[in-house]
Amino acid sequence: MQNLPANNDYRNCFIPDEGNKIVSCDFSGQELRLVAFISKEKVWMDAFNEGRDLHSEVASMVFGVPVSDVKNKPEFLRGKSYRDVAKTINFGLVYGMSEFKLSNTLSIPIDEAKTMINKYFANLPKLNEFLKTAANYGKKNLMIRTCKPYRRIRFFDDPKGDNKLIGEIERASKNTVVQGSGADMCKLALVNIRKYIKQHNLQSKVKIVMTVHDQIDCEVSADYAEEWSLIQKKLMEDAGSVIIQGIPVLSEITISDCWTK
């Protein structure tokens, strides 16, 4: 299901049995909140704790423009807004985006992309430290762990000095800490949802249908969908709070007659 195109031309084809609804709940900004929690980068932490838009805050800081102007599209960004670029960097650098990839993504010269990345990390030193530490740990130990309390291990093969393989280990190390911990959150939420259904004898009203990345979908009796949506939302946020601490874990609920984006 994860491999289907993520648009409603496809997703709307999947419908529940008559008399049921699809209750879909996904973690809000899961990976970005994990990055904030792990790195303890103040700008990121403050944005989430104070309910401000992270991408706008970073854009303002990196480009030196007021938050009110971050949606402007200066000529040198070639049709992108300051916020668009900040969002691309926020997501991309966590997964090892190089200046070459950023250059290609934004259609800008490589030297401009490199300057943006350098300025970005100059303003976010703790984020830079986290990414470097994860990359070096994976390269040195040929393994990396997800966050506490589970600390699942991903092992790497010995690259035997192959620079390309070393680079892949560095990128995977950054990625695994974040996406692997996100997977832990979802798995714990699934366990808790299943326990709740069994403990409250809800098998005839609720069934877990699928997970898609950080989203869990249930098929629920129409007369119980509203009530269940609040229960599922709490169960998922409680699961997330086992791993992410110090900033709020939020989720978003959708109730519909078919699978939706």
Side-chain angles (χ1 to χ4, degrees):
M1 299 299 281
Q2 291 182 143
N3 291 329
L4 288 171
N7 64 62
N8 286 331
D9 289 342
Y10 291 86
R11 290 196 171 187
N12 289 175
C13 296
F14 296 88
I15 61 174
D17 288 338
E18 186 175 350
N20 292 345
K21 298 280 188 179
I22 296 292
V23 175
S24 178
C25 186
D26 68 298
F27 288 106
S28 176
Q30 182 196 57
E31 293 175 356
L32 297 176
R33 290 174 194 272
L34 277 163
V35 171
F37 160 66
I38 298 166
S39 69
K40 301 296 187 290
E41 182 58 66
K42 188 176 187 304
V43 173
W44 286 49
M45 297 278 286
D46 288 350
F48 286 124
N49 280 322
E50 296 169 18
R52 300 199 304 270
D53 178 60
L54 173 66
H55 305 309
S56 294
E57 295 289 319
V58 171
S60 174
M61 181 180 61
V62 171
F63 292 105
V65 298
V67 171
S68 58
D69 293 341
V70 296
K71 292 187 179 179
N72 292 347
K73 298 179 179 180
E75 186 175 343
F76 78 96
L77 291 181
R78 294 162 179 78
K80 303 285 197 309
S81 71
Y82 295 111
R83 186 185 181 280
D84 291 336
V85 174
K87 183 177 180 179
T88 297
I89 299 175
N90 282 343
F91 280 109
L93 292 182
V94 174
Y95 305 117
M97 175 185 278
S98 66
E99 61 266 32
F100 304 102
K101 176 66 174 176
L102 183 61
S103 167
N104 184 58
T105 301
L106 299 178
S107 299
I108 60 175
I110 293 172
D111 58 340
E112 286 186 22
K114 187 172 184 178
T115 298
M116 281 184 192
I117 291 174
N118 289 340
K119 191 172 184 181
Y120 179 92
F121 281 133
N123 284 279
L124 298 166
K126 286 192 174 181
L127 179 56
N128 192 24
E129 181 183 354
F130 151 59
L131 293 173
K132 284 184 176 179
T133 299
N136 289 333
Y137 186 93
K139 183 170 58 176
K140 178 181 177 181
N141 297 283
L142 297 182
M143 54 85 77
I144 195 73
R145 293 179 181 271
T146 62
C147 292
K148 295 178 181 179
Y150 300 107
R151 292 178 57 76
R152 289 188 301 112
I153 298 175
R154 176 178 179 177
F155 290 103
F156 302 115
D157 292 331
D158 188 341
K160 302 187 188 314
D162 185 318
N163 288 332
K164 182 180 179 181
L165 294 178
I166 291 171
E168 289 175 359
I169 289 172
E170 291 175 338
R171 285 188 292 275
S173 296
K174 301 171 190 177
N175 183 292
T176 297
V177 176
V178 179
Q179 284 198 322
S181 298
D184 291 345
M185 287 170 58
C186 285
K187 289 169 184 172
L188 179 59
L190 282 167
V191 170
N192 291 345
I193 290 170
R194 182 173 182 272
K195 283 182 178 177
Y196 190 97
I197 291 170
K198 293 182 71 175
Q199 288 170 355
H200 294 81
N201 296 315
L202 295 172
Q203 292 92 332
S204 64
K205 290 186 174 183
V206 181
K207 60 181 178 182
I208 300 170
V209 177
M210 62 183 168
T211 61
V212 181
H213 303 298
D214 61 351
Q215 171 184 313
I216 298 175
D217 293 336
C218 293
E219 184 171 338
V220 188
S221 298
D223 60 356
Y224 189 60
E226 289 285 348
E227 184 176 347
W228 173 255
S229 70
L230 299 179
I231 294 169
Q232 182 176 338
K233 178 179 172 68
K234 185 177 188 306
L235 289 170
M236 289 182 63
E237 291 175 358
D238 287 349
S241 297
V242 171
I243 294 173
I244 297 177
Q245 298 170 7
I247 58 175
V249 176
L250 303 179
S251 61
E252 298 173 347
I253 284 282
T254 302
I255 302 173
S256 61
D257 294 318
C258 58
W259 187 28
T260 62
K261 185 177 184 300

